[in-house]
Amino acid sequence: TRLARQAQALGDPTRLTILLLLHEAGTLCVSDICLILERGQSIVSKHLKTALDAGLLSNHRLDLWMYYELTGRGEELLATLLNQND
């Protein structure tokens, strides 16, 4: 079940884009991701929750903002995908 959730999280183009953004930036808040993707917060938050539930992201709150970053597993799976595209 866990592997299926991870594959589902990686299979969506928007979520994959979010993961790539976090791979490059390290940590981003939801509002930054919304601005970069030019998408509304509700859509971005749903994608983040899916990746978070799959164990690919972690989050922490700083004041009013929620920040996200890749977990070790998220980095590992993303690196595997990126290496396959070389």
Side-chain angles (χ1 to χ4, degrees), residues 1-65:
T1 303
R2 185 172 150 238
L3 186 57
R5 281 190 303 212
Q6 291 171 347
Q8 179 187 15
L10 291 168
D12 181 86
T14 300
R15 280 192 293 273
L16 186 55
T17 300
I18 291 169
L19 295 174
L20 289 168
L21 286 171
L22 291 168
H23 175 72
E24 292 295 320
T27 303
L28 289 171
C29 69
V30 175
S31 60
D32 289 338
I33 296 169
C34 291
L35 286 173
I36 293 167
L37 296 180
E38 299 179 343
R39 302 270 169 89
Q41 184 177 349
S42 63
I43 297 284
V44 170
S45 291
K46 286 179 186 179
H47 285 296
L48 290 168
K49 180 167 176 20
T50 299
L52 187 68
D53 290 346
L56 303 179
L57 298 178
S58 63
N59 63 0
H60 65 278
R61 183 174 297 279
L62 183 61
D63 296 323
L64 298 175
W65 296 275

